[in-house]
């Protein structure tokens, strides 16, 4: 499968714990995005990487959230001291940088439940 | 603030009906408008529109963009139960403080009954 891969697909954790999600984009895609989607809402932008550089972060991304893309390939999104409000689907998407049209290729998402 | 608004938020129809989904937007540095279909997993791409008045068509689905009035519609004719999904409208913009991202609407939940 050469699509965007996300792990784990589901994560249940207790409030206050740390969680980390991983995203493997389509190879050769330089752009990588993280979005968060809650029930009944469209995906909300969290952050964007061009290769290894994190170029943009949403105001939604509090200091408990951190994302990295150390070698410009896979990316991780870590949430520290989780809160119940963090429960959501975390979607990763990628696109080739030469295509400035907006089409993003999404992974299946990582669903987080904070108890 | 940039925003994308979809209507209706939910729609229930019977197989064979035709539906029209609406998307209006207010963004600066507009580049394109995209429609995605989301079932119980990742959004999948349907259409990308960049020019006004040019209809994009794929089977029973079609879409058109009006850049003057800042809206788009997605039409589905002869609906089938497999069309049941969330339909997401998103606008891609780049410039100013943004390097380029999609902003999504809330989605329209379409339910097609047999």
């Amino acid at each position: 499968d050469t699509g965007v891969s996300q792990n784990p697909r589901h994560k249940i954790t207790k409030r206050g714990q740390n969680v980390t999600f991983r995203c493997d984009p389509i190879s050769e895609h330089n752009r990588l995005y993280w979005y968060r989607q809650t029930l009944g809402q469209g995906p909300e932008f969290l952050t964007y990487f061009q290769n290894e550089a994190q170029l943009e972060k949403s105001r939604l991304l509090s200091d408990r959230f951190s994302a990295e893309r150390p070698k410009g390939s896979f990316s991780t999104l870590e949430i520290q001291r989780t809160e119940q409000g963090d429960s959501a689907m975390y979607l990763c998407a990628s696109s080739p940088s030469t295509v400035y049209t907006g089409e993003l290729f999404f992974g299946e998402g990582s669903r987080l439940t904070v108890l | 603030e940039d925003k994308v608004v979809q209507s209706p938020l939910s729609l229930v129809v019977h197989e064979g009906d035709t539906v029209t989904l609406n998307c209006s937007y207010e963004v600066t540095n507009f580049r394109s408008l995209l429609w995605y279909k989301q079932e119980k997993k990742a959004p999948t791409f349907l259409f990308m529109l960049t020019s006004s008045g040019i209809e994009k068509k794929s089977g029973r689905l079609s879409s058109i963009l009006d850049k003057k009035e800042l809206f788009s519609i997605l039409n589905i004719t002869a609906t089938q139960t497999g069309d049941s999904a969330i339909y997401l409208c998103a606008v891609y913009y780049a410039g100013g403080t943004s390097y380029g991202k999609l902003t999504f609407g809330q989605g329209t939940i379409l339910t097609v009954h047999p």
Side-chain angles (χ1 to χ4, degrees):
Chain A
D1 191 314
T2 57
V4 178
S5 175
Q6 291 189 245
N7 289 288
R9 295 290 310 282
H10 302 275
K11 179 72 177 178
I12 301 173
T13 191
K14 293 183 179 178
R15 186 164 49 95
Q17 298 295 303
N18 298 344
V19 297
T20 299
F21 300 116
R22 176 179 169 125
C23 171
D24 288 90
I26 295 171
S27 57
E28 296 108 40
H29 278 193
N30 297 329
R31 295 177 171 224
L32 187 147
Y33 299 78
W34 285 99
Y35 281 81
R36 179 173 68 187
Q37 187 175 24
T38 53
L39 200 61
Q41 300 295 319
E44 297 173 295
F45 170 79
L46 292 179
T47 190
Y48 158 59
F49 289 86
Q50 172 84 23
N51 298 311
E52 66 275 10
Q54 188 176 22
L55 296 185
E56 191 170 349
K57 292 196 297 186
S58 165
R59 290 188 300 268
L60 294 173
L61 216 63
S62 76
D63 56 6
R64 296 185 297 106
F65 288 71
S66 62
E68 294 182 340
R69 194 182 182 196
K71 296 183 180 179
S73 57
F74 73 91
S75 175
T76 58
L77 176 69
E78 181 184 16
I79 309 173
Q80 296 182 325
R81 306 182 303 281
T82 52
E83 301 172 356
Q84 288 183 325
D86 297 330
S87 295
M89 175 76 85
Y90 290 85
L91 293 166
C92 177
S94 68
S95 75
S97 61
T98 54
V99 181
Y100 291 98
T101 57
E103 182 182 353
L104 300 186
F105 298 81
F106 283 88
E108 300 278 324
S110 292
R111 181 170 296 283
L112 173 65
T113 302
V114 182
L115 301 175
Chain B
E1 183 178 325
D2 299 317
K3 60 181 180 181
V4 180
V5 178
Q6 293 186 243
S7 64
L9 294 182
S10 66
L11 194 53
V12 180
V13 300
H14 287 94
E15 274 193 319
D17 289 348
T18 294
V19 298
T20 297
L21 310 183
N22 303 292
C23 175
S24 64
Y25 62 92
E26 291 179 32
V27 301
T28 54
N29 301 304
F30 172 91
R31 296 281 186 95
S32 60
L33 185 144
L34 295 89
W35 286 96
Y36 282 84
K37 178 181 181 182
Q38 186 176 28
E39 297 170 269
K40 293 182 180 178
K41 46 188 179 178
T44 54
F45 172 78
L46 293 175
F47 296 111
M48 184 186 67
L49 304 150
T50 56
S51 301
S52 279
I54 299 174
E55 185 182 54
K56 291 281 184 91
K57 200 168 171 63
S58 176
R60 296 175 295 100
L61 278 68
S62 63
S63 184
I64 197 162
L65 173 67
D66 186 327
K67 290 169 72 174
K68 182 179 176 185
E69 300 297 330
L70 307 183
F71 78 90
S72 173
I73 60 172
L74 174 68
N75 281 317
I76 308 174
T77 59
T79 52
Q80 303 171 356
T81 55
D83 295 326
S84 296
I86 301 172
Y87 289 84
L88 296 165
C89 172
V91 173
Y92 179 73
Y93 57 98
T97 57
S98 176
Y99 286 85
K101 60 177 181 273
L102 287 180
T103 292
F104 285 85
Q106 319 95 297
T108 294
I109 302 171
L110 175 64
T111 304
V112 182
H113 288 310

